[in-house]
């Protein structure tokens, strides 16, 4: 029947385990105080002249570190490898800037030639009446407002003073050559100084990379060298791969754009390709800006509209190919950021550091997410910006069931069932979700209405998964005669883990019953559905049917096994009484007890002793052992008798004689 491989990886975060239900949970994430957040943001804002070059240098260091390592592996000394990498990178950036400036200057000289085409298109829109004359009315309103603003009250000339003709005056500037040179160079001093500072910082960071790493470990994670080292390696690999792959993707995007614009006849096609390459580093809005400028130029170059449509089609096709083919192929897992985090980060860093902050927003946020993923003090960053689910599957399912939304819970379950078997979903996700509910019930934070709603939602979830259970049973029947197995079985068998082979239940009749409450009934329904996929004939019994007043009305004829489930591990005495009552009613059936919440390590001697103590045929702690015990074909264990001390009653005459002698 169903064979699966379970992943044995242990979580890196320490877990907390509830002694009553056996459920494990992650500790609560500590959030920083408002004062801390305000202080950090204020320091980054007011110290941007210092932090911005350092941030750029840090990102370039991450990007160039693999290049330096590759050059050192072929025998080039460290200093030569660092200087050649840095100078090569900044030379490429300088060449890029020079080409862009040259193309912009050439475009500026030809702008006046495109004015006629723009006016022609505006006239055509006015003649065709696009928008019902809205363009004409808006232009008229703007013109009248401008005239009113520029209108001045004429001054009344004196009657005795004759009017004089205005004399034209020409102002000649006599600036010295040194002043002209100063005006040209002054705006360039600050960018050139920042670029030189960044170059120097990058060189020193690459030369002292190991020393800086050791200092960072000493400050942040000296108590856990393994975790801090893993964080640094993850940050370096993730950032280096992101920047390199982003550059490759942008080049693969810009080259066809440049060629396509050149074929279409758009002037300065090289400029628009280079701008498309650079603007794609800006998340979301960068490609849009890179497409608007060529579209506007296409509007101005040709009198018709066909060139605009062809240009728009070129950008749309390239964006579709890049976003759906090239990026998934090269990025793989991408940056580890959620889409909303990318947008929020772009807004935040733009407000903080301007346009350069917008370009650096994604790499900087990647650094923060990696830091939060590996350093406990910054875990909130990974929760806020990471793309990993913030709730574990069983916690997410419990939240949906508690909210009375079994439909979304079913969708969540079907997503998991695409990669796992039904018994894995119930054992790893659904039953732990019910254990969270039992834990809240024991703590007294759940009222009766919420308890009933949770149990009802869980029962609806089980009913919604009937089709999935039937399909899985049919797949198992087909796989039994096919050596290749099903696609899902191949996918699961590809994972590393432990093989689990559930027994065949054909010809067995099993009743699954809840132990003490409605949540136990829901867990019993899940177990019954798993047994059904294994070929057994199953039926359900509620906890109310096992009460002393109604247990004798339970139909036990023709059954092989009765399985009673308890979500609360402190129900051993209650289980003992139920087992004895059932075996007295029908000694020929097997009775098993499941104390949900075991992790698979509590089997063996512990469960054997517990089964002997409560006189059960088997005791299970998880879904696999429960299914294995319920489908076992062993003979039932005989009910053991407990010797009771009997006190002989005395006759009335004897009691009277005893009382007299006592006096």
């Amino acid at each position: 029947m169903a064979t699966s491989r379970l992943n044995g990886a242990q979580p890196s975060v320490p877990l907390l385990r509830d002694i009553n239900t056996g459920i494990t949970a992650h500790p609560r994430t500590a959030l920083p105080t408002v004062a801390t957040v305000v202080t950090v943001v204020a320091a980054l804002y007011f110290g941007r002249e210092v932090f911005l070059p350092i941030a750029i240098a840090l990102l370039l260091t991450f990007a160039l570190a693999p290049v330096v390592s590759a050059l050192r592996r072929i025998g080039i000394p460290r200093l030569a490898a660092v200087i050649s990498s840095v100078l090569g990178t900044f030379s490429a950036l300088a060449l890029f800037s020079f080409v862009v400036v040259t193309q912009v200057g050439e475009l500026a000289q030809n702008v006046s030639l495109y004015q006629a085409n723009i006016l022609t298109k505006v006239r055509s829109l006015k003649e065709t009446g696009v928008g019902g004359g809205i363009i004409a009315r808006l232009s008229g309103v703007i013109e009248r407002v401008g005239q009113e603003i520029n209108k001045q009250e004429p001054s009344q000339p004196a009657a005795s003073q004759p009017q004089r003709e205005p004399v034209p005056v020409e102002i000649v500037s006599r600036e010295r050559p040194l002043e002209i040179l100063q005006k040209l160079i002054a705006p360039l001093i600050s960018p050139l100084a920042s670029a030189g500072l960044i170059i120097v910082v990058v060189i020193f960071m690459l030369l002292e990379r190991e020393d800086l790493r050791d200092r960072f470990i000493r400050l942040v994670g000296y108590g856990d060298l393994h975790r801090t080292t893993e964080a640094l390696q993850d940050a370096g690999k993730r950032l280096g791969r992101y920047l390199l792959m982003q550059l490759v993707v942008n080049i693969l995007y810009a080259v066809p754009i440049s060629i396509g614009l050149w074929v279409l006849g758009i002037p300065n096609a090289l400029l628009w390709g280079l701008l498309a390459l650079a603007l794609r580093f800006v998340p979301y809005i960068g490609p849009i800006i890179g497409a608007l400028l060529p579209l506007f130029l296409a509007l101005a170059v040709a009198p018709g509209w066909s060139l605009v449509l062809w240009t728009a089609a070129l950008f749309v096709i390239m964006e579709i190919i890049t976003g759906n083919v090239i990026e998934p192929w090269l990025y793989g897992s991408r940056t580890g950021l959620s889409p909303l985090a990318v947008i929020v980060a772009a807004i935040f860093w733009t407000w903080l550091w301007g346009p350069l902050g917008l370009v650096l927003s994604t790499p900087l946020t990647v650094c923060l997410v990696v830091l939060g993923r590996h350093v406990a003090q910054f875990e909130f960053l990974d929760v806020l910006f990471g793309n990993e689910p913030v709730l574990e599957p069983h916690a997410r399912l419990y939240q949906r069931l508690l909210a009375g939304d079994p439909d979304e819970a079913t969708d969540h379950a079907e997503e998991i069932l695409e990669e796992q078997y039904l018994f894995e979903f119930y054992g790893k996700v659904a039953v732990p979700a019910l254990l969270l509910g039992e834990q809240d019930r024991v703590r007294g934070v759940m009222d009766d209405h919420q308890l009933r709603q949770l149990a009802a939602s869980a029962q609806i979830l089980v009913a919604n998964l009937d089709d999935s259970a039937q399909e899985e049973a049919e797949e198992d029947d087909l796989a039994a005669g096919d050596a290749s197995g099903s696609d899902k079985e191949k996918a699961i068998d590809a994972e590393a883990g432990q093989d689990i082979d559930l027994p065949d239940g054909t010809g067995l009749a099993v009743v699954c019953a809840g132990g003490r409450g409605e949540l136990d009934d829901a867990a019993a329904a899940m177990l019954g559905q798993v047994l059904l996929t294994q070929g057994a004939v199953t039926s359900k019994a509620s906890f109310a049917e096992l009460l002393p007043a109604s247990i004798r009305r339970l139909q036990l004829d023709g059954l092989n096994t009765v399985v009673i489930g308890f979500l609360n591990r402190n129900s051993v005495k209650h289980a003992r009484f139920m087992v004895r009552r059932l075996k007295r009613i029908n000694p020929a059936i097997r009775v098993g007890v499941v104390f949900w919440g075991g992790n698979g390590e509590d089997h063996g001697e512990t469960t054997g002793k517990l089964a002997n103590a409560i006189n059960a045929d088997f005791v299970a702690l998880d879904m696999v052992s429960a299914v294995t015990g319920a489908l076992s074909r062993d003979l039932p264990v005989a009910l053991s008798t407990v010797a009771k001390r009997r006190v002989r009653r005395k006759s009335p005459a004897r009691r009277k004689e005893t009382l007299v002698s006592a006096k």
Side-chain angles (χ1 to χ4, degrees), residues 458-486:
Q459 294 283 6
I460 295 175
L461 171 65
V462 176
N464 291 341
L465 295 180
D466 280 339
D467 294 337
S468 299
Q470 186 65 31
E471 292 176 1
E472 184 173 308
E474 294 175 357
E475 288 179 2
D476 290 339
D477 292 339
L478 293 175
D482 185 5
S484 60
S486 63

Side-chain angles (χ1 to χ4, degrees), residues 271-294:
L271 171 63
W272 309 123
L274 293 177
L275 288 180
L277 187 152
L279 288 173
R280 275 193 65 86
F281 282 100
V282 179
Y284 295 109
I285 64 173
I288 298 176
I289 298 175
L292 288 178
L293 297 176

Side-chain angles (χ1 to χ4, degrees), residues 354-410:
L356 284 177
L358 178 61
V359 177
L360 301 176
S361 60
T362 300
L364 290 176
T365 311
V366 169
C367 291
L368 296 178
V369 169
V370 172
L371 186 66
R373 188 164 296 173
H374 296 282
V375 181
Q377 295 89 334
F378 303 99
E379 186 183 0
F380 70 95
L381 295 172
D382 185 30
V383 175
L384 291 176
F385 302 119
N387 63 347
E388 298 294 332
V390 296
L391 292 179
E392 294 185 5
H394 70 279
R396 179 183 174 189
L397 181 64
Y398 171 61
Q399 193 274 332
R400 287 293 85 204
L401 295 177
L402 186 62
D405 190 359
D407 294 333
E408 184 176 343
T410 303

Side-chain angles (χ1 to χ4, degrees), residues 11 35 107 138 179 212-213 217 269 297 307 334-335 353 369 381 396 428 446 456 519 538 615 619:
L107 177 65
L138 287 178
E179 294 178 353
L212 292 175
R213 178 198 61 199
I217 292 175
L297 190 59
L307 185 60
R334 301 213 174 197
T335 60
W353 289 345
V369 169
L381 295 172
R396 179 183 174 189
K428 296 179 180 179
M446 182 184 297
L519 295 182
T538 61
N615 213 170
V619 169

Side-chain angles (χ1 to χ4, degrees), residues 269-587:
L270 180 61
L271 171 63
W272 309 123
L274 293 177
L275 288 180
L277 187 152
L279 288 173
R280 275 193 65 86
F281 282 100
V282 179
Y284 295 109
I285 64 173
I288 298 176
I289 298 175
L292 288 178
L293 297 176
L295 285 174
F296 179 78
L297 190 59
L299 184 70
V301 168
W305 296 94
S306 59
L307 185 60
V308 178
L309 297 178
W310 280 110
T311 304
L314 173 65
F315 278 95
V316 170
I317 293 173
M318 285 306 305
E319 194 64 37
I320 292 175
I321 295 175
T322 304
N324 296 279
V325 178
I326 299 177
E327 286 184 349
W329 172 49
L330 292 178
Y331 280 163
S333 60
R334 301 213 174 197
T335 60
L337 303 180
S338 65
L340 181 60
V342 174
I343 298 175
V344 173
I347 296 173
F348 173 76
W349 291 108
T350 304
W351 167 77
L352 202 63
W353 289 345
L356 284 177
L358 178 61
V359 177
L360 301 176
S361 60
T362 300
L364 290 176
T365 311
V366 169
C367 291
L368 296 178
V369 169
V370 172
L371 186 66
R373 188 164 296 173
H374 296 282
V375 181
Q377 295 89 334
F378 303 99
E379 186 183 0
F380 70 95
L381 295 172
D382 185 30
V383 175
L384 291 176
F385 302 119
N387 63 347
E388 298 294 332
V390 296
L391 292 179
E392 294 185 5
H394 70 279
R396 179 183 174 189
L397 181 64
Y398 171 61
Q399 193 274 332
R400 287 293 85 204
L401 295 177
L402 186 62
D405 190 359
D407 294 333
E408 184 176 343
T410 303
D411 295 337
H412 178 48
E414 290 176 347
E415 292 177 1
I416 298 177
L417 289 176
E418 292 179 358
E419 301 179 357
Q420 296 182 0
Y421 284 110
L422 188 67
F423 78 92
E424 289 181 297
F425 166 71
Y426 281 148
K428 296 179 180 179
V429 180
V431 171
L434 296 180
L435 286 169
L436 290 178
E438 177 65 18
Q439 181 179 351
D440 289 343
R441 186 196 67 81
V442 172
R443 293 191 300 123
V445 297
M446 182 184 297
D447 56 28
D448 294 338
H449 172 71
Q450 291 176 324
L451 182 63
R452 289 192 297 269
Q453 180 172 271
L454 175 62
S457 300
Q459 294 283 6
I460 295 175
L461 171 65
V462 176
N464 291 341
L465 295 180
D466 280 339
D467 294 337
S468 299
Q470 186 65 31
E471 292 176 1
E472 184 173 308
E474 294 175 357
E475 288 179 2
D476 290 339
D477 292 339
L478 293 175
D482 185 5
S484 60
S486 63
D487 294 337
K488 182 168 67 175
E489 187 171 356
K490 293 178 182 178
I492 296 177
D493 288 342
E495 300 177 359
Q498 179 183 0
D499 289 338
I500 294 178
D501 190 7
L502 299 180
D504 185 8
T506 304
L508 297 178
V510 183
V511 171
C512 299
R516 304 186 69 172
E518 295 172 334
L519 295 182
D520 294 333
D521 291 344
M526 296 174 184
L527 175 60
Q529 196 172 65
V530 173
L531 295 175
L532 186 64
T533 62
Q534 299 304 118
V537 178
T538 61
S539 57
K540 296 181 292 184
S542 66
F543 76 98
E545 296 180 72
L546 296 184
L547 295 176
S550 57
I551 192 172
R552 291 190 174 275
R553 293 195 294 270
L554 192 64
Q555 297 295 328
L556 300 179
D557 296 335
L559 296 179
N560 299 100
T561 307
V562 176
V563 184
I564 311 170
F566 296 91
L567 290 170
N568 195 317
R569 300 284 291 274
N570 297 327
S571 303
V572 177
K573 293 183 179 179
H574 197 81
R576 181 188 301 117
F577 293 143
M578 285 187 173
V579 171
R580 294 182 65 84
R581 293 190 186 105
L582 290 172
K583 283 188 171 291
R584 284 172 180 168
I585 296 173
N586 188 352

